[in-house]
Amino acid sequence: MSERHVRGGRSEVTATRIHTVIGELDATIRELRGTIFNLNQPTQKAASLRAQVLDETSTAQNRLGFAPSVEFDGLVDAALPDETAAHLLAVLREALSNVARHAHATAAWAAVHAGDELLLDVTDSGRGLSRSTRSSGLANLRRRAEKLGGTFEVTDRPEGGTRLRWRILLTTEEAARTR
């Protein structure tokens, strides 16, 4: 075999590998676009809110490097409006994402309490709030709360880390279902 033929064979193998990688990248891009599209759609009520919260915390485990603890109080699976549940899940997702990106935490806790109000409390053991932190994501969480007539606060914890509290008052009818 001539040296030229061997090089030509390597070029063909290399070209085949490049085309394979390009095909895989195209498939990944299509999958990402589909995921982004689905994130912008209203959350389906097929699974209970409790199950959806557990799914979100389970998904966050890879980004965090540990499993966040989850606590429920009250009838979390009571009939809440789809919009309220969708906002709560989006806030939880963003809060856990912030912990993964910024907190350098070794533990995180998410608690959902339902009664006269719906409260999402996310805390971490990280470094706390940074003065230079961009607040666009936090402003979005505040807007979500205010849109539903609720409140949002994020503070440093005295023992270290951060505490995020997202609270929505439930209507009398919704609150009665959560008791």
Side-chain angles (χ1 to χ4, degrees):
M1 238 188 235
S2 74
E3 187 175 283
R4 185 176 180 177
H5 181 71
V6 171
R7 279 193 201 142
R10 287 184 184 157
S11 294
E12 290 172 22
V13 169
T14 301
T16 301
R17 286 184 183 161
I18 289 171
H19 287 295
T20 300
V21 169
I22 290 171
E24 291 172 355
L25 286 172
D26 285 342
T28 301
I29 290 168
R30 282 191 301 276
E31 186 176 324
L32 283 170
R33 286 181 178 154
T35 300
I36 290 167
F37 176 79
N38 288 336
L39 289 174
N40 290 322
Q41 299 304 307
T43 302
Q44 298 281 329
K45 271 287 212 178
S48 69
L49 181 58
R50 185 181 303 256
Q52 291 176 74
V53 166
L54 291 172
D55 284 346
E56 288 295 338
T57 56
S58 177
T59 299
Q61 182 175 347
N62 290 334
R63 292 187 313 267
L64 292 166
F66 56 85
S69 297
V70 183
E71 173 188 315
F72 297 97
D73 180 44
L75 298 175
V76 174
D77 290 329
L80 294 173
D82 289 345
E83 180 183 17
T84 302
H87 282 293
L88 180 126
L89 293 169
V91 169
L92 175 62
R93 188 179 310 118
E94 178 67 22
L96 292 174
S97 180
N98 284 343
V99 171
R101 285 193 317 257
H102 306 296
H104 302 284
T106 57
W109 304 268
V112 180
H113 304 277
D116 291 338
E117 63 184 15
L118 179 64
L119 170 66
L120 172 64
D121 193 334
V122 179
T123 57
D124 67 66
S125 65
R127 62 183 180 176
L129 293 171
S130 168
R131 299 296 167 229
S132 63
T133 301
R134 284 182 30 214
S135 62
S136 59
L138 297 178
N140 180 41
L141 301 182
R142 182 175 314 284
R143 278 191 300 275
R144 285 180 180 276
E146 290 171 353
K147 180 178 181 180
L148 298 173
T151 61
F152 168 78
E153 65 182 350
V154 61
T155 57
D156 284 320
R157 295 176 46 212
E159 61 272 21
T162 305
R163 172 178 236 160
L164 177 148
R165 300 190 99 195
W166 188 83
R167 177 177 287 139
I168 304 300
L169 292 175
L170 298 176
T171 65
T172 305
E173 182 180 313
E174 293 162 349
R177 286 186 290 225
T178 61
R179 288 190 190 141

PDB file of all heavy atoms in Angstrom, residues 98-130:
ATOM      1  N   ASN A  98     -29.645  28.602  40.990  1.00  0.00           N
ATOM      2  CA  ASN A  98     -28.800  29.632  41.612  1.00  0.00           C
ATOM      3  C   ASN A  98     -27.877  29.024  42.666  1.00  0.00           C
ATOM      4  O   ASN A  98     -26.708  29.408  42.767  1.00  0.00           O
ATOM      5  CB  ASN A  98     -29.652  30.741  42.231  1.00  0.00           C
ATOM      6  CG  ASN A  98     -30.227  31.675  41.202  1.00  0.00           C
ATOM      7  OD1 ASN A  98     -29.771  31.726  40.062  1.00  0.00           O
ATOM      8  ND2 ASN A  98     -31.257  32.403  41.587  1.00  0.00           N
ATOM      9  N   VAL A  99     -28.387  28.092  43.441  1.00  0.00           N
ATOM     10  CA  VAL A  99     -27.552  27.424  44.441  1.00  0.00           C
ATOM     11  C   VAL A  99     -26.397  26.709  43.737  1.00  0.00           C
ATOM     12  O   VAL A  99     -25.240  26.824  44.146  1.00  0.00           O
ATOM     13  CB  VAL A  99     -28.374  26.426  45.295  1.00  0.00           C
ATOM     14  CG1 VAL A  99     -27.470  25.579  46.183  1.00  0.00           C
ATOM     15  CG2 VAL A  99     -29.409  27.154  46.140  1.00  0.00           C
ATOM     16  N   ALA A 100     -26.719  25.994  42.671  1.00  0.00           N
ATOM     17  CA  ALA A 100     -25.687  25.247  41.942  1.00  0.00           C
ATOM     18  C   ALA A 100     -24.642  26.175  41.329  1.00  0.00           C
ATOM     19  O   ALA A 100     -23.448  25.866  41.342  1.00  0.00           O
ATOM     20  CB  ALA A 100     -26.334  24.384  40.861  1.00  0.00           C
ATOM     21  N   ARG A 101     -25.069  27.312  40.791  1.00  0.00           N
ATOM     22  CA  ARG A 101     -24.148  28.207  40.085  1.00  0.00           C
ATOM     23  C   ARG A 101     -23.357  29.123  41.003  1.00  0.00           C
ATOM     24  O   ARG A 101     -22.207  29.443  40.715  1.00  0.00           O
ATOM     25  CB  ARG A 101     -24.925  29.071  39.087  1.00  0.00           C
ATOM     26  CG  ARG A 101     -25.364  28.334  37.852  1.00  0.00           C
ATOM     27  CD  ARG A 101     -25.851  29.283  36.759  1.00  0.00           C
ATOM     28  NE  ARG A 101     -26.691  30.355  37.218  1.00  0.00           N
ATOM     29  CZ  ARG A 101     -28.010  30.412  37.094  1.00  0.00           C
ATOM     30  NH1 ARG A 101     -28.647  29.434  36.504  1.00  0.00           N
ATOM     31  NH2 ARG A 101     -28.693  31.425  37.546  1.00  0.00           N
ATOM     32  N   HIS A 102     -23.949  29.560  42.098  1.00  0.00           N
ATOM     33  CA  HIS A 102     -23.336  30.645  42.861  1.00  0.00           C
ATOM     34  C   HIS A 102     -22.986  30.336  44.316  1.00  0.00           C
ATOM     35  O   HIS A 102     -22.118  30.985  44.878  1.00  0.00           O
ATOM     36  CB  HIS A 102     -24.270  31.869  42.866  1.00  0.00           C
ATOM     37  CG  HIS A 102     -24.676  32.311  41.510  1.00  0.00           C
ATOM     38  ND1 HIS A 102     -23.794  32.795  40.582  1.00  0.00           N
ATOM     39  CD2 HIS A 102     -25.901  32.317  40.909  1.00  0.00           C
ATOM     40  CE1 HIS A 102     -24.446  33.104  39.466  1.00  0.00           C
ATOM     41  NE2 HIS A 102     -25.720  32.817  39.639  1.00  0.00           N
ATOM     42  N   ALA A 103     -23.660  29.404  44.951  1.00  0.00           N
ATOM     43  CA  ALA A 103     -23.573  29.278  46.407  1.00  0.00           C
ATOM     44  C   ALA A 103     -22.343  28.525  46.920  1.00  0.00           C
ATOM     45  O   ALA A 103     -21.930  28.738  48.050  1.00  0.00           O
ATOM     46  CB  ALA A 103     -24.832  28.596  46.950  1.00  0.00           C
ATOM     47  N   HIS A 104     -21.797  27.623  46.108  1.00  0.00           N
ATOM     48  CA  HIS A 104     -20.716  26.747  46.594  1.00  0.00           C
ATOM     49  C   HIS A 104     -21.183  26.019  47.852  1.00  0.00           C
ATOM     50  O   HIS A 104     -20.444  25.898  48.838  1.00  0.00           O
ATOM     51  CB  HIS A 104     -19.428  27.535  46.857  1.00  0.00           C
ATOM     52  CG  HIS A 104     -18.923  28.259  45.654  1.00  0.00           C
ATOM     53  ND1 HIS A 104     -18.270  27.616  44.629  1.00  0.00           N
ATOM     54  CD2 HIS A 104     -19.003  29.557  45.301  1.00  0.00           C
ATOM     55  CE1 HIS A 104     -17.948  28.495  43.693  1.00  0.00           C
ATOM     56  NE2 HIS A 104     -18.397  29.681  44.072  1.00  0.00           N
ATOM     57  N   ALA A 105     -22.412  25.548  47.817  1.00  0.00           N
ATOM     58  CA  ALA A 105     -23.044  24.901  48.974  1.00  0.00           C
ATOM     59  C   ALA A 105     -22.738  23.410  49.000  1.00  0.00           C
ATOM     60  O   ALA A 105     -22.447  22.790  47.975  1.00  0.00           O
ATOM     61  CB  ALA A 105     -24.557  25.117  48.929  1.00  0.00           C
ATOM     62  N   THR A 106     -22.837  22.840  50.187  1.00  0.00           N
ATOM     63  CA  THR A 106     -22.715  21.390  50.351  1.00  0.00           C
ATOM     64  C   THR A 106     -24.055  20.765  50.729  1.00  0.00           C
ATOM     65  O   THR A 106     -24.165  19.548  50.811  1.00  0.00           O
ATOM     66  CB  THR A 106     -21.677  21.056  51.443  1.00  0.00           C
ATOM     67  OG1 THR A 106     -22.066  21.691  52.661  1.00  0.00           O
ATOM     68  CG2 THR A 106     -20.281  21.517  51.030  1.00  0.00           C
ATOM     69  N   ALA A 107     -25.061  21.610  50.942  1.00  0.00           N
ATOM     70  CA  ALA A 107     -26.400  21.125  51.274  1.00  0.00           C
ATOM     71  C   ALA A 107     -27.421  22.187  50.889  1.00  0.00           C
ATOM     72  O   ALA A 107     -27.121  23.379  50.886  1.00  0.00           O
ATOM     73  CB  ALA A 107     -26.513  20.813  52.767  1.00  0.00           C
ATOM     74  N   ALA A 108     -28.616  21.720  50.566  1.00  0.00           N
ATOM     75  CA  ALA A 108     -29.732  22.619  50.267  1.00  0.00           C
ATOM     76  C   ALA A 108     -31.019  21.946  50.723  1.00  0.00           C
ATOM     77  O   ALA A 108     -31.119  20.719  50.740  1.00  0.00           O
ATOM     78  CB  ALA A 108     -29.800  22.937  48.778  1.00  0.00           C
ATOM     79  N   TRP A 109     -31.971  22.779  51.110  1.00  0.00           N
ATOM     80  CA  TRP A 109     -33.255  22.296  51.598  1.00  0.00           C
ATOM     81  C   TRP A 109     -34.361  23.052  50.884  1.00  0.00           C
ATOM     82  O   TRP A 109     -34.299  24.270  50.744  1.00  0.00           O
ATOM     83  CB  TRP A 109     -33.385  22.542  53.098  1.00  0.00           C
ATOM     84  CG  TRP A 109     -32.268  21.936  53.882  1.00  0.00           C
ATOM     85  CD1 TRP A 109     -32.240  20.699  54.446  1.00  0.00           C
ATOM     86  CD2 TRP A 109     -31.012  22.540  54.190  1.00  0.00           C
ATOM     87  NE1 TRP A 109     -31.042  20.497  55.080  1.00  0.00           N
ATOM     88  CE2 TRP A 109     -30.254  21.620  54.932  1.00  0.00           C
ATOM     89  CE3 TRP A 109     -30.423  23.780  53.888  1.00  0.00           C
ATOM     90  CZ2 TRP A 109     -28.978  21.878  55.384  1.00  0.00           C
ATOM     91  CZ3 TRP A 109     -29.143  24.041  54.340  1.00  0.00           C
ATOM     92  CH2 TRP A 109     -28.433  23.106  55.087  1.00  0.00           C
ATOM     93  N   ALA A 110     -35.376  22.332  50.465  1.00  0.00           N
ATOM     94  CA  ALA A 110     -36.554  22.954  49.860  1.00  0.00           C
ATOM     95  C   ALA A 110     -37.765  22.512  50.679  1.00  0.00           C
ATOM     96  O   ALA A 110     -37.925  21.323  50.964  1.00  0.00           O
ATOM     97  CB  ALA A 110     -36.710  22.525  48.409  1.00  0.00           C
ATOM     98  N   ALA A 111     -38.585  23.474  51.055  1.00  0.00           N
ATOM     99  CA  ALA A 111     -39.791  23.170  51.826  1.00  0.00           C
ATOM    100  C   ALA A 111     -40.979  23.838  51.146  1.00  0.00           C
ATOM    101  O   ALA A 111     -40.900  24.998  50.747  1.00  0.00           O
ATOM    102  CB  ALA A 111     -39.653  23.668  53.262  1.00  0.00           C
ATOM    103  N   VAL A 112     -42.062  23.080  51.010  1.00  0.00           N
ATOM    104  CA  VAL A 112     -43.307  23.609  50.455  1.00  0.00           C
ATOM    105  C   VAL A 112     -44.370  23.453  51.529  1.00  0.00           C
ATOM    106  O   VAL A 112     -44.629  22.344  52.001  1.00  0.00           O
ATOM    107  CB  VAL A 112     -43.725  22.857  49.172  1.00  0.00           C
ATOM    108  CG1 VAL A 112     -45.026  23.436  48.620  1.00  0.00           C
ATOM    109  CG2 VAL A 112     -42.621  22.904  48.117  1.00  0.00           C
ATOM    110  N   HIS A 113     -44.941  24.574  51.929  1.00  0.00           N
ATOM    111  CA  HIS A 113     -45.989  24.594  52.961  1.00  0.00           C
ATOM    112  C   HIS A 113     -47.267  25.118  52.314  1.00  0.00           C
ATOM    113  O   HIS A 113     -47.252  26.139  51.637  1.00  0.00           O
ATOM    114  CB  HIS A 113     -45.593  25.506  54.130  1.00  0.00           C
ATOM    115  CG  HIS A 113     -44.285  25.135  54.743  1.00  0.00           C
ATOM    116  ND1 HIS A 113     -44.158  24.139  55.681  1.00  0.00           N
ATOM    117  CD2 HIS A 113     -43.033  25.614  54.541  1.00  0.00           C
ATOM    118  CE1 HIS A 113     -42.893  24.024  56.040  1.00  0.00           C
ATOM    119  NE2 HIS A 113     -42.176  24.908  55.361  1.00  0.00           N
ATOM    120  N   ALA A 114     -48.371  24.423  52.545  1.00  0.00           N
ATOM    121  CA  ALA A 114     -49.666  24.861  52.011  1.00  0.00           C
ATOM    122  C   ALA A 114     -50.667  24.945  53.152  1.00  0.00           C
ATOM    123  O   ALA A 114     -50.817  24.010  53.934  1.00  0.00           O
ATOM    124  CB  ALA A 114     -50.152  23.890  50.938  1.00  0.00           C
ATOM    125  N   GLY A 115     -51.314  26.062  53.228  1.00  0.00           N
ATOM    126  CA  GLY A 115     -52.345  26.312  54.237  1.00  0.00           C
ATOM    127  C   GLY A 115     -53.109  27.531  53.773  1.00  0.00           C
ATOM    128  O   GLY A 115     -53.668  27.540  52.684  1.00  0.00           O
ATOM    129  N   ASP A 116     -53.117  28.603  54.587  1.00  0.00           N
ATOM    130  CA  ASP A 116     -53.719  29.861  54.153  1.00  0.00           C
ATOM    131  C   ASP A 116     -52.860  30.519  53.078  1.00  0.00           C
ATOM    132  O   ASP A 116     -53.301  31.407  52.374  1.00  0.00           O
ATOM    133  CB  ASP A 116     -53.876  30.822  55.331  1.00  0.00           C
ATOM    134  CG  ASP A 116     -54.926  30.331  56.312  1.00  0.00           C
ATOM    135  OD1 ASP A 116     -55.797  29.535  55.901  1.00  0.00           O
ATOM    136  OD2 ASP A 116     -54.871  30.730  57.487  1.00  0.00           O
ATOM    137  N   GLU A 117     -51.629  30.072  53.008  1.00  0.00           N
ATOM    138  CA  GLU A 117     -50.698  30.569  52.001  1.00  0.00           C
ATOM    139  C   GLU A 117     -49.913  29.391  51.442  1.00  0.00           C
ATOM    140  O   GLU A 117     -49.868  28.316  52.038  1.00  0.00           O
ATOM    141  CB  GLU A 117     -49.741  31.601  52.601  1.00  0.00           C
ATOM    142  CG  GLU A 117     -48.859  31.013  53.690  1.00  0.00           C
ATOM    143  CD  GLU A 117     -47.974  32.049  54.359  1.00  0.00           C
ATOM    144  OE1 GLU A 117     -48.223  33.254  54.196  1.00  0.00           O
ATOM    145  OE2 GLU A 117     -47.021  31.628  55.037  1.00  0.00           O
ATOM    146  N   LEU A 118     -49.312  29.615  50.305  1.00  0.00           N
ATOM    147  CA  LEU A 118     -48.413  28.653  49.695  1.00  0.00           C
ATOM    148  C   LEU A 118     -47.021  29.243  49.844  1.00  0.00           C
ATOM    149  O   LEU A 118     -46.760  30.357  49.380  1.00  0.00           O
ATOM    150  CB  LEU A 118     -48.764  28.447  48.222  1.00  0.00           C
ATOM    151  CG  LEU A 118     -47.882  27.470  47.447  1.00  0.00           C
ATOM    152  CD1 LEU A 118     -48.015  26.052  48.019  1.00  0.00           C
ATOM    153  CD2 LEU A 118     -48.276  27.476  45.974  1.00  0.00           C
ATOM    154  N   LEU A 119     -46.150  28.528  50.544  1.00  0.00           N
ATOM    155  CA  LEU A 119     -44.811  29.028  50.818  1.00  0.00           C
ATOM    156  C   LEU A 119     -43.775  28.064  50.270  1.00  0.00           C
ATOM    157  O   LEU A 119     -43.831  26.858  50.553  1.00  0.00           O
ATOM    158  CB  LEU A 119     -44.598  29.196  52.330  1.00  0.00           C
ATOM    159  CG  LEU A 119     -43.171  29.491  52.794  1.00  0.00           C
ATOM    160  CD1 LEU A 119     -42.709  30.862  52.301  1.00  0.00           C
ATOM    161  CD2 LEU A 119     -43.073  29.389  54.297  1.00  0.00           C
ATOM    162  N   LEU A 120     -42.844  28.595  49.491  1.00  0.00           N
ATOM    163  CA  LEU A 120     -41.668  27.843  49.059  1.00  0.00           C
ATOM    164  C   LEU A 120     -40.486  28.461  49.775  1.00  0.00           C
ATOM    165  O   LEU A 120     -40.244  29.664  49.669  1.00  0.00           O
ATOM    166  CB  LEU A 120     -41.477  27.931  47.540  1.00  0.00           C
ATOM    167  CG  LEU A 120     -40.167  27.334  47.017  1.00  0.00           C
ATOM    168  CD1 LEU A 120     -40.124  25.824  47.273  1.00  0.00           C
ATOM    169  CD2 LEU A 120     -40.008  27.627  45.531  1.00  0.00           C
ATOM    170  N   ASP A 121     -39.779  27.646  50.513  1.00  0.00           N
ATOM    171  CA  ASP A 121     -38.617  28.092  51.282  1.00  0.00           C
ATOM    172  C   ASP A 121     -37.427  27.260  50.805  1.00  0.00           C
ATOM    173  O   ASP A 121     -37.433  26.038  50.944  1.00  0.00           O
ATOM    174  CB  ASP A 121     -38.887  27.849  52.768  1.00  0.00           C
ATOM    175  CG  ASP A 121     -37.911  28.535  53.682  1.00  0.00           C
ATOM    176  OD1 ASP A 121     -36.766  28.797  53.274  1.00  0.00           O
ATOM    177  OD2 ASP A 121     -38.294  28.803  54.833  1.00  0.00           O
ATOM    178  N   VAL A 122     -36.426  27.902  50.211  1.00  0.00           N
ATOM    179  CA  VAL A 122     -35.231  27.205  49.738  1.00  0.00           C
ATOM    180  C   VAL A 122     -34.031  27.804  50.466  1.00  0.00           C
ATOM    181  O   VAL A 122     -33.798  29.005  50.404  1.00  0.00           O
ATOM    182  CB  VAL A 122     -35.050  27.341  48.205  1.00  0.00           C
ATOM    183  CG1 VAL A 122     -33.785  26.627  47.749  1.00  0.00           C
ATOM    184  CG2 VAL A 122     -36.268  26.794  47.468  1.00  0.00           C
ATOM    185  N   THR A 123     -33.294  26.957  51.168  1.00  0.00           N
ATOM    186  CA  THR A 123     -32.115  27.409  51.900  1.00  0.00           C
ATOM    187  C   THR A 123     -30.914  26.583  51.465  1.00  0.00           C
ATOM    188  O   THR A 123     -31.057  25.462  50.968  1.00  0.00           O
ATOM    189  CB  THR A 123     -32.303  27.271  53.426  1.00  0.00           C
ATOM    190  OG1 THR A 123     -32.610  25.913  53.735  1.00  0.00           O
ATOM    191  CG2 THR A 123     -33.408  28.155  53.931  1.00  0.00           C
ATOM    192  N   ASP A 124     -29.722  27.167  51.653  1.00  0.00           N
ATOM    193  CA  ASP A 124     -28.506  26.438  51.322  1.00  0.00           C
ATOM    194  C   ASP A 124     -27.431  26.727  52.363  1.00  0.00           C
ATOM    195  O   ASP A 124     -27.554  27.654  53.163  1.00  0.00           O
ATOM    196  CB  ASP A 124     -28.027  26.785  49.913  1.00  0.00           C
ATOM    197  CG  ASP A 124     -27.556  28.206  49.769  1.00  0.00           C
ATOM    198  OD1 ASP A 124     -26.527  28.555  50.386  1.00  0.00           O
ATOM    199  OD2 ASP A 124     -28.188  28.975  49.028  1.00  0.00           O
ATOM    200  N   SER A 125     -26.373  25.933  52.325  1.00  0.00           N
ATOM    201  CA  SER A 125     -25.267  26.070  53.273  1.00  0.00           C
ATOM    202  C   SER A 125     -24.087  26.808  52.647  1.00  0.00           C
ATOM    203  O   SER A 125     -22.980  26.732  53.171  1.00  0.00           O
ATOM    204  CB  SER A 125     -24.799  24.678  53.707  1.00  0.00           C
ATOM    205  OG  SER A 125     -24.252  23.983  52.586  1.00  0.00           O
ATOM    206  N   GLY A 126     -24.327  27.518  51.580  1.00  0.00           N
ATOM    207  CA  GLY A 126     -23.251  28.142  50.821  1.00  0.00           C
ATOM    208  C   GLY A 126     -22.689  29.409  51.420  1.00  0.00           C
ATOM    209  O   GLY A 126     -22.822  29.676  52.616  1.00  0.00           O
ATOM    210  N   ARG A 127     -22.116  30.224  50.550  1.00  0.00           N
ATOM    211  CA  ARG A 127     -21.389  31.414  50.988  1.00  0.00           C
ATOM    212  C   ARG A 127     -22.269  32.639  51.208  1.00  0.00           C
ATOM    213  O   ARG A 127     -21.773  33.701  51.597  1.00  0.00           O
ATOM    214  CB  ARG A 127     -20.294  31.740  49.990  1.00  0.00           C
ATOM    215  CG  ARG A 127     -20.803  32.069  48.605  1.00  0.00           C
ATOM    216  CD  ARG A 127     -19.663  32.316  47.671  1.00  0.00           C
ATOM    217  NE  ARG A 127     -20.192  32.628  46.350  1.00  0.00           N
ATOM    218  CZ  ARG A 127     -19.457  32.965  45.340  1.00  0.00           C
ATOM    219  NH1 ARG A 127     -18.159  33.049  45.486  1.00  0.00           N
ATOM    220  NH2 ARG A 127     -20.004  33.231  44.189  1.00  0.00           N
ATOM    221  N   GLY A 128     -23.544  32.541  50.954  1.00  0.00           N
ATOM    222  CA  GLY A 128     -24.446  33.678  51.161  1.00  0.00           C
ATOM    223  C   GLY A 128     -24.503  34.574  49.950  1.00  0.00           C
ATOM    224  O   GLY A 128     -23.934  34.281  48.899  1.00  0.00           O
ATOM    225  N   LEU A 129     -25.210  35.672  50.110  1.00  0.00           N
ATOM    226  CA  LEU A 129     -25.390  36.608  49.004  1.00  0.00           C
ATOM    227  C   LEU A 129     -24.106  37.386  48.758  1.00  0.00           C
ATOM    228  O   LEU A 129     -23.448  37.819  49.698  1.00  0.00           O
ATOM    229  CB  LEU A 129     -26.514  37.595  49.311  1.00  0.00           C
ATOM    230  CG  LEU A 129     -27.918  37.000  49.389  1.00  0.00           C
ATOM    231  CD1 LEU A 129     -28.888  38.040  49.913  1.00  0.00           C
ATOM    232  CD2 LEU A 129     -28.353  36.493  48.039  1.00  0.00           C
ATOM    233  N   SER A 130     -23.811  37.568  47.508  1.00  0.00           N
ATOM    234  CA  SER A 130     -22.649  38.362  47.126  1.00  0.00           C
ATOM    235  C   SER A 130     -23.130  39.758  46.759  1.00  0.00           C
ATOM    236  O   SER A 130     -24.164  39.921  46.123  1.00  0.00           O
ATOM    237  CB  SER A 130     -21.967  37.707  45.922  1.00  0.00           C
ATOM    238  OG  SER A 130     -21.020  38.579  45.362  1.00  0.00           O
TER     239      SER A 130
END
